[in-house]
Amino acid sequence: MMGMIWKERRGCGCCLATKVSAMATGDTNKELDSLVAEYLESRGLKKTVSTFYSESKESRESTSSSDLQSEFVVAFECGERQVFFQLWAEHVPARLRDGDPTAQHLECSVSAYFAVYPLRTGTGNREEAMAAFRTYLENRGSQLSQNTELASLFALPYVPNPSNHPSFKKLFLESWTVELKARVIQFLELVFPNSSTNKPNLVKLYLKSQRDGGVMVQEDCVSKLAEMQNSYHTLVGISMELVSALESAIAGRPITPEYIQSICTRLFQSSTAQSSTAQSQPPPEPPKTPIPAAGSLLLRASVTSLRQSLQVSDSYLMSETGLDYDKIKTELVGAASCSSKALLLQALRWRLTRSLPGNQRDSVISQYVGEDLLGCSSPNSSHLAAIIQLLQTTDHNLREQLARLFNTLASLTGGRGYISQSPAIIQALLYLMYGEEGADTHTRRNCLGAIQKLSLRRSIVRMMIKSSVVQYLAECLLSQPHSEYTVRYSLALLLNVSLRCIGKTYCEPYSEILLTVLGEYLEHEDQEICSYVNGALYSLLASPSIRDVARQIGMEEMLQSALRGCPPDVQSQIEYILSQLGSEEEGEGSDSGDEGDSEEEEDEEVGGVREPVETSKKALISKALYDC
């Protein structure tokens, strides 16, 4: 039945390359059948050949596990949601679909993938895709609302432009799609174990020969690319000389026939040994050196920039060999100058930020964590104590570079897990942020960014709350002016803090200041900031004492003013906050079970309050799961 569906779809030209790839398994079997038949015929085994052809034809007509897996993969890559989930319903056992957490988690992630597929590729109906995802969340996906890792997806159908929202940026990354596809294939291999394992030796030998041939083709392409680059650089060099000669002629300096002849000789010479010999010799100069003018200067500058970019790219690709981390750690905490240490920290950060997303970046972060680069895995080590001393140094540039590195690490899941092992480092970052008073410095911004990202973990945010982070946020937001980065991350951190029960308690003494500041940002032009404000208000107003303060300072009038002219999705958030402000009961944003969380839950990353699905449909957007 599914084969008939794909027959009808192959004519549309959608994802042609993917469908051709999906038929690769069948092509391999046909080619191997042909080789085996040729061998049997050469041995004169005619009856065996006839039987072999007959049985091979019957085998190809039946649908195998590998064919079924290929149909899943093609449906995934081509954005065919209906086909994929029809296959899912027909071939994945119900006990797995309805009872296995891995299968349910994967089904939710794939549903989100299909929801944003029209936005990622520009094909398909966006409204229809989001409507289908909303239906899934309200039915099969409703049981996953308690999963903190998937909680942000419940806000996806209600966000006007998910590609620009930090909570959903990962859904538009190629690395996330590749990872999700790998998870789908891995799951299918478990469900259909005969699809890719226990290949016959003949198949393995054939596939190996195909791969070896591909390597040879790749090497040939690399060689040709190098030749093309050399030819390109030669032509650009000649072009620069001609531009200079023309500028010289305009200035009244004549060009000799011999010079033109030399240019023609270099331009049309062969690319063999003669080319190599000619390129090794310096080109003949014009009889009189031309005066560099705007044209030649621009051309030379562009070529220089291009060559430098190529050199940077090539040098990075060649830097995949391991580093001497023992020497690096010694340099960081040793007697080297502060400027040398700052440059070393910058290089370590660039190695991470300039790596390719996916396996390459994961490899870099794994090396940093495995080698305990910053001492976070060794609570009582001298190396950790030395790193903390660097955060307290009087050299501003060194402090800034170290704060930048911590902020970059905190942007990645592996980095957050690594830093979270050391409460002492987090305390040092807090104190460094507190000490950067007055100017909105880069050091303070990077400390704030790192702390906000680390506050996704329960145990960490509690420690921050007890270390006076609420008081700092109140004073920071009250003072002016601030960069947009500081405003965004301060409000996001306030949102994280207010989601905890202990956070609301610590906010109560500063409730008037916090509510006044939040009221000022209610009508901010940045929708991301508005979502943080709405989320913080939603959570804080769950406290009766804070609600009383809000009524006293006229929060209802501020909300009514913001309600006029705001987008429909923001309007629904504000209306919900208004209804909460008028309530006399304990708000739904109260996290009464916060203090009773188990130790296993302490290290989970949380993006919002755990609550029933009925509430999350209205409030998950206002909780604004932030940039991780």
Side-chain angles (χ1 to χ4, degrees):
M1 175 180 176
M2 297 311 301
M4 293 296 295
I5 293 176
W6 284 118
K7 272 188 178 179
E8 295 173 1
R9 294 186 177 274
R10 283 183 184 130
C12 68
C14 171
C15 300
L16 181 59
T18 303
K19 294 176 181 176
V20 170
S21 174
M23 295 185 286
T25 302
D27 293 341
T28 299
N29 291 335
K30 289 180 182 179
E31 292 177 12
L32 284 174
D33 289 350
S34 177
L35 292 174
V36 171
E38 181 182 359
Y39 171 76
L40 294 175
E41 288 177 350
S42 69
R43 296 290 305 275
L45 306 174
K46 296 182 179 179
K47 293 182 180 179
T48 305
V49 172
S50 177
T51 304
F52 177 73
Y53 272 131
S54 176
E55 292 184 350
S56 297
K57 183 178 179 181
E58 293 175 359
S59 175
R60 285 195 296 269
E61 289 175 352
S62 63
T63 302
S64 65
S65 297
S66 60
D67 295 334
L68 189 58
Q69 186 179 126
S70 296
E71 290 189 0
F72 269 106
V73 173
V74 174
F76 178 88
E77 294 192 346
C78 295
E80 298 285 354
R81 180 184 56 81
Q82 291 181 337
V83 175
F84 184 93
F85 284 114
Q86 186 174 347
L87 289 167
W88 184 271
E90 291 180 358
H91 298 286
V92 177
R95 58 182 177 80
L96 291 179
R97 286 186 281 113
D98 300 330
D100 183 67
T102 301
Q104 293 173 338
H105 190 289
L106 182 61
E107 183 179 358
C108 184
S109 298
V110 172
S111 298
Y113 163 81
F114 285 126
V116 300
Y117 186 87
L119 293 173
R120 292 178 64 252
T121 63
T123 60
N125 189 306
R126 171 188 172 184
E127 288 75 17
E128 181 181 339
M130 283 297 177
F133 184 56
R134 188 184 301 111
T135 302
Y136 164 78
L137 293 177
E138 293 172 350
N139 295 281
R140 287 186 58 80
S142 60
Q143 56 188 324
L144 300 175
S145 62
Q146 306 301 317
N147 189 315
T148 55
E149 185 177 352
L150 300 175
S152 63
L153 297 180
F154 283 79
L156 179 60
Y158 307 96
V159 176
N161 193 358
S163 60
N164 294 332
H165 197 285
S167 304
F168 308 114
K169 282 185 178 178
K170 71 173 185 178
L171 303 181
F172 296 87
L173 296 176
E174 187 64 27
S175 57
W176 181 81
T177 302
V178 172
E179 179 189 2
L180 181 59
K181 178 183 173 183
R183 287 170 53 198
V184 170
I185 294 175
Q186 183 180 15
F187 177 79
L188 294 175
E189 288 176 348
L190 293 175
V191 177
F192 312 117
N194 296 325
S195 62
S196 60
T197 59
N198 301 323
K199 289 187 175 69
N201 289 332
L202 180 60
V203 175
K204 294 178 180 178
L205 288 172
Y206 177 79
L207 294 176
K208 184 178 183 298
S209 67
Q210 294 291 92
R211 285 194 297 270
D212 293 343
V215 171
M216 293 177 64
V217 171
Q218 182 180 5
E219 292 176 350
D220 184 50
C221 290
V222 171
S223 176
K224 290 182 178 179
L225 176 61
E227 292 179 5
M228 291 176 63
Q229 286 180 334
N230 289 333
S231 300
Y232 169 75
H233 291 149
T234 301
L235 290 174
V236 171
I238 293 174
S239 299
M240 287 193 298
E241 292 181 29
L242 289 175
V243 171
S244 298
L246 288 172
E247 292 170 347
S248 179
I250 292 173
R253 298 180 176 84
I255 301 175
T256 64
E258 291 77 13
Y259 177 69
I260 297 297
Q261 181 63 36
S262 68
I263 292 292
C264 293
T265 301
R266 293 169 56 205
L267 187 60
F268 296 106
Q269 63 187 344
S270 64
S271 58
T272 55
Q274 294 177 354
S275 174
S276 301
T277 303
Q279 290 177 9
S280 64
Q281 300 174 355
E285 292 292 334
K288 294 183 179 180
T289 305
I291 301 173
S296 61
L297 287 176
L298 287 174
L299 185 57
R300 291 177 192 276
S302 65
V303 173
T304 302
S305 175
L306 174 63
R307 286 177 175 169
Q308 288 177 348
S309 65
L310 290 173
Q311 289 171 0
V312 169
S313 176
D314 293 341
S315 64
Y316 182 77
L317 291 176
M318 296 300 293
S319 68
E320 287 304 299
T321 56
L323 301 178
D324 188 346
Y325 284 95
D326 289 335
K327 185 175 181 180
I328 291 173
K329 290 158 71 174
T330 302
E331 287 290 321
L332 280 177
V333 301
S337 65
C338 291
S339 60
S340 298
K341 293 179 181 179
L343 290 173
L344 180 56
L345 290 168
Q346 183 186 60
L348 290 168
R349 175 168 55 87
W350 281 359
R351 181 175 173 83
L352 185 59
T353 57
R354 298 186 180 186
S355 61
L356 298 176
N359 292 336
Q360 192 178 73
R361 184 163 296 170
D362 292 342
S363 175
V364 175
I365 194 70
S366 297
Q367 290 175 26
Y368 286 5
V369 174
E371 298 290 342
D372 197 14
L373 180 64
L374 299 174
C376 297
S377 300
S378 307
N380 300 316
S381 67
S382 59
H383 184 64
L384 174 62
I387 294 295
I388 293 175
Q389 287 294 325
L390 291 182
L391 284 170
Q392 299 170 352
T393 182
T394 56
D395 188 277
H396 175 73
N397 188 37
L398 180 54
R399 293 200 313 269
E400 178 182 328
Q401 291 300 332
L402 190 53
R404 285 179 182 272
L405 180 57
F406 275 114
N407 190 18
T408 302
L409 288 171
S411 300
L412 304 169
T413 303
R416 287 195 295 275
Y418 173 60
I419 300 173
S420 298
Q421 297 178 45
S422 175
I425 285 288
I426 299 173
Q427 288 282 7
L429 287 171
L430 282 169
Y431 294 147
L432 178 57
M433 181 178 70
Y434 296 165
E436 292 288 314
E437 297 178 351
D440 191 5
T441 63
H442 290 292
T443 302
R444 186 174 77 166
R445 294 178 196 173
N446 281 279
C447 287
L448 176 61
I451 290 167
Q452 186 274 326
K453 294 161 190 172
L454 292 168
S455 67
L456 295 169
R457 295 173 178 258
R458 283 191 177 91
S459 58
I460 301 301
V461 75
R462 287 181 189 159
M463 183 187 72
M464 294 176 181
I465 292 169
K466 294 177 180 179
S467 298
S468 304
V469 74
V470 174
Q471 179 182 352
Y472 172 80
L473 288 174
E475 295 174 354
C476 175
L477 289 170
L478 189 62
S479 62
Q480 295 292 338
H482 292 304
S483 66
E484 187 172 344
Y485 184 98
T486 298
V487 172
R488 179 182 292 110
Y489 278 83
S490 296
L491 291 172
L493 179 57
L494 177 61
L495 171 57
N496 290 5
V497 168
S498 65
L499 292 176
R500 308 259 57 84
C501 183
I502 186 175
K504 295 183 183 66
T505 302
Y506 275 72
C507 285
E508 288 177 358
Y510 309 97
S511 57
E512 183 174 353
I513 297 175
L514 294 175
L515 291 172
T516 301
V517 171
L518 291 174
E520 292 176 357
Y521 288 108
L522 267 173
E523 301 182 61
H524 198 278
E525 60 184 7
D526 189 334
Q527 292 301 311
E528 182 182 355
I529 289 178
C530 290
S531 63
Y532 295 150
V533 170
N534 294 339
L537 285 174
Y538 166 85
S539 183
L540 290 173
L541 293 178
S543 167
S545 62
I546 296 180
R547 277 205 305 272
D548 292 337
V549 175
R551 294 178 185 125
Q552 292 173 11
I553 66 172
M555 178 58 68
E556 182 175 1
E557 289 77 14
M558 298 182 194
L559 291 168
Q560 291 288 358
S561 175
L563 193 60
R564 295 189 291 270
C566 64
D569 54 327
V570 178
Q571 184 176 357
S572 62
Q573 298 172 19
I574 296 177
E575 289 174 350
Y576 193 82
I577 295 171
L578 280 168
S579 64
Q580 187 184 33
L581 181 60
S583 173
E584 297 295 335
E585 300 176 355
E586 184 78 8
E588 293 176 328
S590 177
D591 198 357
S592 58
D594 178 65
E595 297 298 328
D597 291 333
S598 66
E599 290 185 3
E600 291 182 354
E601 294 177 329
E602 284 286 317
D603 291 331
E604 291 179 357
E605 292 190 355
V606 293
V609 178
R610 294 182 177 182
E611 58 184 350
V613 179
E614 289 75 18
T615 302
S616 65
K617 291 176 187 176
K618 299 179 180 178
L620 269 176
I621 305 172
S622 64
K623 291 174 187 174
L625 302 174
Y626 13 76
D627 183 5
C628 296

